[in-house]
Amino acid sequence: MLEEYKDIQYQISDNKRWLYNIRNDRMIVSEHSLENYLQDIENPENPLHDFYISTYKRGKLTNFHFIRIILESSRINFFYKVSLFLNKGYLTLFMLIISLTLLPSLLRMDPVDPNYFLLTQFSFWDMAMIYLVTTTVILPLHEYAHFAVYYKYLKPSKVTFGFSLRYFSMPVFFIKVPFYKVLKGKKRNELVLAGVKFQVAIWFLLTLFTVMYPSKFLLGLIIVNLGLIITNLLPFLKLDGYWYLSNLLGVEDYMAYFKAMFLKKKKFRLDVCLLGLINFGMIILSIISFLADIMRYFV
């Protein structure tokens, strides 16, 4: 469980002090004792004073936070037990098997004509509603599933969430889990996979509804949700698969390790080198694709 003082959360782990300022989204990790400084943190001569009063910055150009909200964790814990229940591996496997089994039959459903369920036949309003539900329901539920596991082990009193723009092209909902690295082994993997597992549950429920009430809109949600699951599992662009792979490799962040190798601060590893080169290629392709979409409006 996290200790807290004046919106600063702190934890001692691996002989290190982890301090996180909720208000300005800053983190300090130190091997020196810092707890005593918290009692006098408003003193300008206190070494932690700047950490305490500095203003909030909206992330980096490649991950810009344009909306951020801080709430008491209790305000959104109505979903907590449900999320943890759906995070159980055996239940996820059951729902995944059922959803995969029924997917081909859903794609063949033909209540009117052979093109009924083709994405090219979706109206503007269909696409707009699918996008709206995805960004305001599915993605927030995915992120809350991460937070549910985080809350299970660390019990923070406040939660920070919002929307950010990644790599200039990907609008994403986020919930902050700043002490993620404090968790080890199975606990960390449980947190990383929680969002994808919940999306499998969403896929399963959408499948049942579509079987009972055939709908182009519901099938559209299934396809988009499935695409998001696959995207999140890719080990690139710092999504869930990226962090899971980093855990498997035994490093905190394999791209950080990749960069440190070329600065000769880390030992060379061929596996990390190959993954780092592929990751850079994926980021470049993402930016090129975004710029190409913009150029179409002017050419």
Side-chain angles (χ1 to χ4, degrees), residues 111-286:
V112 179
D113 62 74
N115 294 324
Y116 184 76
F117 279 131
L118 290 181
L119 285 175
T120 53
Q121 301 297 313
F122 277 52
S123 69
F124 170 80
W125 293 111
D126 287 331
M127 297 300 292
M129 287 302 298
I130 290 170
Y131 178 80
L132 181 65
V133 172
T134 299
T135 54
T136 61
V137 179
I138 294 178
L139 291 179
L141 290 179
H142 171 108
E143 293 299 322
Y144 185 83
H146 288 305
F147 180 76
V149 177
Y150 183 77
Y151 185 80
K152 170 185 174 182
Y153 292 116
L154 296 172
K155 297 292 188 299
S157 64
K158 293 183 180 179
V159 54
T160 302
F161 61 93
F163 282 90
S164 66
L165 187 67
R166 288 186 183 172
Y167 305 111
F168 311 101
S169 57
M170 298 168 59
V172 295
F173 181 90
F174 68 87
I175 288 185
K176 300 292 291 187
V177 287
F179 291 88
Y180 155 77
K181 293 181 180 179
V182 169
L183 300 178
K184 305 295 181 183
K186 292 182 178 180
K187 291 181 180 180
R188 184 181 293 189
N189 287 336
E190 181 185 354
L191 186 149
V192 169
L193 294 178
V196 168
K197 286 182 178 181
F198 198 88
Q199 281 191 256
V200 170
I202 292 173
W203 179 13
F204 174 73
L205 293 175
L206 287 173
T207 295
L208 295 184
F209 278 115
T210 306
V211 169
M212 294 185 291
Y213 309 102
S215 162
K216 185 196 299 186
F217 169 71
L218 290 176
L219 186 64
L221 281 178
I222 290 174
I223 294 171
V224 170
N225 182 60
L226 180 56
L228 289 172
I229 290 173
I230 295 171
T231 300
N232 269 291
L233 288 175
L234 293 175
F236 309 108
L237 303 177
K238 293 199 174 182
L239 299 174
D240 297 344
Y242 174 95
W243 298 112
Y244 188 75
L245 180 59
S246 291
N247 294 341
L248 292 180
L249 292 171
V251 296
E252 295 288 353
D253 179 334
Y254 79 76
M255 279 304 291
Y257 192 100
F258 173 77
K259 295 173 185 176
M261 282 194 313
F262 287 92
L263 295 174
K264 296 185 178 180
K265 295 181 179 180
K266 294 288 186 180
K267 181 181 177 181
F268 179 81
R269 288 180 53 173
L270 181 60
D271 52 355
V272 175
C273 182
L274 293 175
L275 286 166
L277 292 173
I278 295 172
N279 200 358
F280 267 125
M282 294 289 291
I283 293 171
I284 292 170
L285 287 175
S286 175

